[in-house]
Amino acid sequence: MNTILKKETLSPSVKLYEIEAPLIAQKALPGQFVVVRIVEEGERIPLTIADSDPERGILTLIVQEVGKTTEHMGLLDEGMAILDVAGPLGLPSEIENYGTVVMVGGGIGIAPIYPITKGMKAAGNRVISIIGARSENLLFYIDKMKAVSDEFIITTDDGTSGIKGFVTDELKRLIDEGVKIDRVVAIGPTIMMKMVSEVTRPYEIPTIVSLNSIMVDGTGMCGACRVEIDGETKFACVDGPEFDGHKVDFDLLMQRQAMYIEQEKKSLECFRENLVHRI
Amino acid sequence: MAKIEPKKTAMPEQPASERIQNFDEVPYGYTEEMAIAEAKRCIQCKDPKCIEGCPVEIDIPGFIRLIAEGDFRGSVRVMKEKNLLPAVCGRVCPQEDQCEKFCVLGKKFEPVAIGRLERFIADWEARQGEAEIPKPAPPTGKKVAIVGSGPAGLTVAGDLIKLGHKITIFEALHKPGGVLVYGIPEFRLPKEIVFREVDYLQKLGVELITSFIVGRTKTVDELLTEYDAVFLGTGAGLPWFMFIPGENSKGIYSANEYLTRSNLMKAYRFPEYDTPIMQGKRVATIGGGNVAMDSARTALRLGAEESIVIYRRSKTEMPARDEEIEHAEEEGVIFNFLTNPVAYHADKDGWVKEIECIRMELGEPDASGRRRPVPIENSNFREPIDTVVVAIGNSPNPLVPATTPGLETTKHGTIVVDETTGRTSKKGVFAGGDIVTGAATVILAMGAGRVAARSIDEYLKTGEW
């Protein structure tokens, strides 16, 4: 169970894993996530599901190496297993025919935006996708995203691919050009989701964001992931992870995401040190 | 007849000043001599009242008599006829409100230390190495799914496997034990003990599947297509907050999160274990129950200079067990009674810096029979604080009820059952423990498990609902 069947490097710090998890693959819907733990001493971390194949019983996870657990995961080879994979968790994305939808994926957020985009396309929407990253080498899933989009835009901060600039610039351009947008779904760094929500707010375009707060169990038991939506406390793991971007207190979320920044640094240092010793 | 010792045989324990430096268990337990001496205090009533106080009907005079005679093996057998988790119950049952409350000795003297003897006999068995595995019952061909591996689920599993049914336990977390593992701290209930008891059930043939979230990985309806009956023992896992200003500041935890990080994830051994936890210097725990005591004592062990319990009523109304309050006091936990938080104040980075409280006074008795705490106007005051644990209670986890059509629940989110059978409104589905009662005790959950197991067996035999 949970065997890594395929591992692929998408960009220097981003890896794709195909994992044998038939029960979860049968149930997973766009927008949902799993909680994984990779070693006995390990922490539990939430990872969004990038794709699932119920027939083959395969779950695709795309992981950016940002800390101890994700770096350690990067060392696992095909044929090895992930200790625990639990899910699918969270509420699935709301997918229906809204008309024209703009799908915004930033950085690692391209991974979770893909299955939702695929769903939006299948539901009959006109899909405009904007994906962006700091630089060309951080982009992935370009062909897959293109295949499920009617219009496809790439932005990079440094201009190495697509249009030089931010995803929000392109979103703003579409609005200014008078494109009638019925819904925006944005997944990426918290600051990006905040900016996207600010761009659409004056036009009252329904904007959905997916919040990646710190979690422990991921099943509604601990409240580590609590966020404020329109002043009300919600648990991202069971009430979300998707919420109305115009109601999210992003500043609180960013503060809470930084709660263990010191410990995370220490944990990563210890891990790298031990690794050197072992080699 | 020999003269009866008026007091319980004392149980040796780690001195308070030492134990707040570690997470090791506080009491050491009885030696064989102590256990025999205590067992001899039992006068072996013809009509023992103590059994009436036990939700799982242990033959209390029976197992105590065998200890007094030095037949520990025999005592284990008597115990395990009714209770498969004696090492757990001996440690966490509120015996003062149950068996020991009814002990006849208690009228004149201290009651027999039934809990300590139960613990002794369980630990004695563990020291002998492998537990005795009874001969398996002939298989009935019936399959039962148990959702949740806490005290209720484990009891149902133990009772039904002995009757020859095939049992599978589904646990959402990565380790079995439910609240025994994520909630109750190591210093009160070593996790090794819980895993030993679960291991015993697995040796009896119980199948355990972890990281399986019923309601998500599979629904109850799907389980019903593979199993003849389903027992729901999913507990009260949804933490309450007070929804006061600043409560989402950094450094403020639910007790569930604080204890899960420390107990299940072993954050007290960070960075050896990955999961971090705030090691606050001035920690406030809100609430007056056992979970609050566990949190306040955990804070001390994580290095708090001051661990303060803030409770809106007075000491007499505290729902925590006396023993837990005593242990907390010995360890230096500070109690702030008749006080209630109204807001938290954070710095510019969002870290909690101050707790704002209001003084309370006791008014007329409320629905619970306890005097209602009433705020005293203009009595607000602020104190510096760097970590807060909100331990004011939990409600049932809504996941299973929300994904199970036809399952009747109350307005509090608990599952409606027939108390005498544990039957829910849905055919083939039984429930017991905190998911039915709301947050209560380990032994009550086990008692409910016992009731449900009996009626599941009957249903499997007759097929009648």
Side-chain angles (χ1 to χ4, degrees):
Chain A
M1 224 168 52
N2 306 336
T3 307
I4 300 170
L5 299 177
K6 185 178 148 192
K7 180 181 165 192
E8 195 183 316
T9 301
L10 298 183
S11 82
S13 66
V14 176
K15 292 193 175 75
L16 173 148
Y17 304 84
E18 284 189 3
I19 291 159
E20 184 187 27
L23 292 177
I24 303 173
Q26 271 162 32
K27 281 296 169 72
L29 292 169
Q32 291 188 301
F33 63 94
V34 288
V35 163
V36 308
R37 192 177 72 118
I38 57 170
V39 283
E40 190 50 41
E41 300 79 20
E43 61 186 337
R44 295 167 63 97
I45 59 162
L47 296 172
T48 41
I49 298 168
D51 210 351
S52 60
D53 182 338
E55 273 156 38
R56 289 166 63 220
I58 287 171
L59 210 58
T60 305
L61 302 177
I62 295 181
V63 183
Q64 183 167 30
E65 292 170 11
V66 289
K68 192 256 165 182
T69 299
T70 45
E71 257 191 37
H72 194 166
M73 194 166 161
L75 298 176
L76 301 181
D77 289 321
E78 288 176 5
M80 291 167 89
I82 295 177
L83 187 57
D84 300 301
V85 182
L89 294 163
L91 299 174
S93 308
E94 284 173 17
I95 293 176
E96 49 188 271
N97 192 345
Y98 299 101
T100 298
V101 295
V102 175
M103 309 300 290
V104 184
I108 193 67
I110 299 166
I113 206 80
Y114 168 68
I116 309 170
T117 308
K118 194 163 75 171
M120 287 291 191
K121 178 73 188 157
N125 290 283
R126 175 164 174 256
V127 175
I128 305 172
S129 296
I130 309 173
I131 67 166
R134 281 200 313 280
S135 194
E136 185 187 15
N137 66 349
L138 297 171
L139 289 167
F140 56 90
Y141 262 29
I142 293 173
D143 293 338
K144 290 187 102 164
M145 281 297 290
K146 229 183 224 170
V148 293
S149 308
D150 295 288
E151 211 176 304
F152 182 67
I153 302 163
I154 291 176
T155 70
T156 47
D157 299 5
D158 61 4
T160 45
S161 178
I163 296 160
K164 184 172 188 303
F166 300 117
V167 287
T168 40
D169 301 337
E170 285 305 295
L171 177 61
K172 186 79 178 43
R173 180 183 60 81
L174 293 172
I175 295 170
D176 289 344
E177 285 174 4
V179 177
K180 192 185 159 292
I181 301 169
D182 298 293
R183 197 177 181 91
V184 172
V185 183
I187 308 182
T190 307
I191 186 71
M192 181 209 93
M193 296 192 284
K194 180 183 175 180
M195 299 315 285
V196 166
S197 302
E198 288 314 314
V199 167
T200 58
R201 189 191 303 275
Y203 307 95
E204 294 177 5
I205 302 168
T207 301
I208 303 299
V209 294
S210 178
L211 306 184
N212 52 337
S213 39
I214 292 175
M215 294 183 188
V216 183
D217 64 289
T219 64
M221 209 186 81
C222 81
C225 66
R226 60 198 195 275
V227 291
E228 279 180 29
I229 310 298
D230 219 5
E232 220 181 291
T233 298
K234 298 277 180 196
F235 288 5
C237 67
V238 286
D239 301 319
E242 295 183 5
F243 293 98
D244 178 346
H246 297 149
K247 294 183 175 167
V248 173
D249 185 339
F250 286 105
D251 296 336
L252 177 75
L253 174 62
M254 283 187 272
Q255 282 185 342
R256 289 187 61 85
Q257 283 169 331
M259 184 155 164
Y260 297 104
I261 209 151
E262 291 302 317
Q263 290 91 331
E264 284 163 6
K265 227 162 62 188
K266 186 170 178 190
S267 183
L268 185 58
E269 275 167 19
C270 289
F271 171 69
R272 285 178 176 167
E273 226 169 83
N274 286 339
L275 213 57
V276 172
H277 286 308
R278 238 180 288 165
I279 295 163
Chain B
M1 202 169 121
K3 190 169 157 285
I4 294 166
E5 280 295 321
K7 283 194 174 304
K8 287 179 180 177
T9 309
M11 180 160 60
E13 58 182 35
Q14 274 199 77
S17 58
E18 267 173 42
R19 71 191 191 226
I20 59 168
Q21 313 285 332
N22 65 57
F23 276 80
D24 299 341
E25 195 176 10
V26 170
Y28 294 120
Y30 279 160
T31 61
E32 293 187 7
E33 293 72 29
M34 289 174 190
I36 291 171
E38 183 61 25
K40 284 184 174 163
R41 290 183 68 231
C42 174
I43 56 171
Q44 295 288 323
C45 301
K46 286 271 182 306
D47 177 20
K49 297 290 175 212
C50 49
I51 301 178
E52 287 172 29
C54 178
V56 295
E57 305 147 17
I58 295 168
D59 176 5
I60 294 167
F63 94 83
I64 292 182
R65 183 176 53 78
L66 290 165
I67 295 177
E69 290 169 4
D71 180 3
F72 303 139
R73 178 67 70 194
S75 181
V76 168
R77 279 191 207 116
V78 170
M79 171 67 67
K80 287 210 164 167
E81 274 169 28
K82 295 286 184 179
N83 184 1
L84 284 167
L85 310 171
V88 173
C89 293
R91 288 169 166 83
V92 303
C93 268
Q95 290 100 6
E96 64 278 10
D97 290 326
Q98 296 176 341
C99 51
E100 294 182 17
K101 186 177 168 182
F102 292 90
C103 175
V104 173
L105 278 197
K107 287 183 183 159
K108 264 175 90 177
F109 308 125
E110 284 188 0
V112 175
I114 301 169
R116 293 173 185 177
L117 290 173
E118 179 180 26
R119 172 198 162 121
F120 164 78
I121 206 65
D123 291 357
W124 177 88
E125 189 196 23
R127 279 196 302 274
Q128 310 312 305
E130 292 285 295
E132 245 178 56
I133 304 293
K135 238 176 63 190
T140 60
K142 299 287 184 189
K143 291 164 71 183
V144 181
I146 293 173
V147 185
S149 64
L154 293 179
T155 304
V156 176
D159 283 6
L160 291 181
I161 196 85
K162 286 197 291 188
L163 298 172
H165 304 304
K166 193 173 174 326
I167 307 297
T168 306
I169 303 180
F170 296 95
E171 167 57 46
L173 291 170
H174 57 268
K175 289 246 189 286
V179 73
L180 303 173
V181 166
Y182 75 73
I184 302 177
E186 181 77 16
F187 56 82
R188 204 148 75 75
L189 176 64
K191 301 309 133 207
E192 192 199 323
I193 288 171
V194 182
F195 299 141
R196 193 172 73 213
E197 311 260 29
V198 174
D199 187 56
Y200 175 72
L201 290 178
Q202 286 179 287
K203 286 195 177 121
L204 294 180
V206 171
E207 183 189 15
L208 170 72
I209 302 179
T210 53
S211 296
F212 190 109
I213 300 139
V214 173
R216 287 269 178 260
T217 318
K218 271 188 185 178
T219 61
V220 170
D221 281 331
E222 286 170 300
L223 292 181
L224 281 170
T225 64
E226 298 169 48
Y227 294 87
D228 300 293
V230 174
F231 174 79
L232 304 173
T234 49
L238 187 75
W240 288 346
F241 286 94
M242 294 174 72
F243 303 116
I244 55 179
E247 203 179 27
N248 293 330
S249 305
K250 288 188 280 185
I252 304 183
Y253 292 99
S254 73
N256 265 6
E257 181 184 356
Y258 193 66
L259 295 173
T260 298
R261 282 180 182 272
S262 181
N263 301 330
L264 175 72
M265 306 309 296
K266 300 235 180 296
Y268 63 90
R269 286 166 70 178
F270 180 88
E272 183 196 346
Y273 281 74
D274 293 346
T275 305
I277 193 166
M278 285 299 303
Q279 296 181 295
K281 292 291 162 223
R282 250 179 87 80
V283 182
T285 299
I286 318 301
N290 290 325
V291 174
M293 299 305 105
D294 286 345
S295 304
R297 296 173 67 196
T298 295
L300 286 175
R301 285 159 175 80
L302 287 170
E305 283 157 15
E306 283 177 277
S307 176
I308 306 149
V309 166
I310 295 176
Y311 181 50
R312 62 194 179 131
R313 304 185 201 237
S314 73
K315 190 174 175 180
T316 17
E317 289 85 23
M318 275 178 82
R321 290 185 62 194
D322 293 345
E323 187 187 318
E324 305 309 326
I325 300 171
E326 275 162 33
H327 275 144
E329 281 174 338
E330 283 166 21
E331 290 170 10
V333 170
I334 301 158
F335 288 85
N336 248 333
F337 295 113
L338 292 167
T339 308
N340 208 26
V342 290
Y344 299 100
H345 302 279
D347 67 9
K348 65 171 182 22
D349 295 322
W351 287 103
V352 64
K353 287 292 161 196
E354 279 186 323
I355 182 169
E356 183 178 336
C357 294
I358 192 164
R359 297 275 181 217
M360 311 289 279
E361 59 190 352
L362 293 179
E364 294 300 308
D366 63 12
S368 74
R370 297 176 300 175
R371 292 179 65 191
R372 184 193 303 273
V374 186
I376 302 171
E377 262 180 64
N378 300 319
S379 66
N380 291 34
F381 65 98
R382 290 185 179 198
E383 273 192 59
I385 215 82
D386 60 12
T387 305
V388 177
V389 184
V390 182
I392 57 167
N394 293 296
S395 16
N397 193 317
L399 187 56
V400 167
T403 54
T404 310
L407 190 67
E408 198 188 326
T409 54
T410 67
K411 64 179 193 311
H412 304 294
T414 53
I415 296 176
V416 177
V417 299
D418 175 341
E419 264 182 49
T420 57
T421 61
R423 289 183 178 207
T424 68
S425 58
K426 194 176 174 79
K427 190 181 177 198
V429 180
F430 299 76
D434 284 2
I435 186 72
V436 169
T437 55
T441 62
V442 168
I443 191 71
L444 282 176
M446 292 177 60
R450 163 112 336 129
V451 169
R454 215 173 275 158
S455 92
I456 291 170
D457 181 51
E458 195 183 285
Y459 169 67
L460 293 176
K461 279 182 187 143
T462 63
E464 279 168 28
W465 190 257

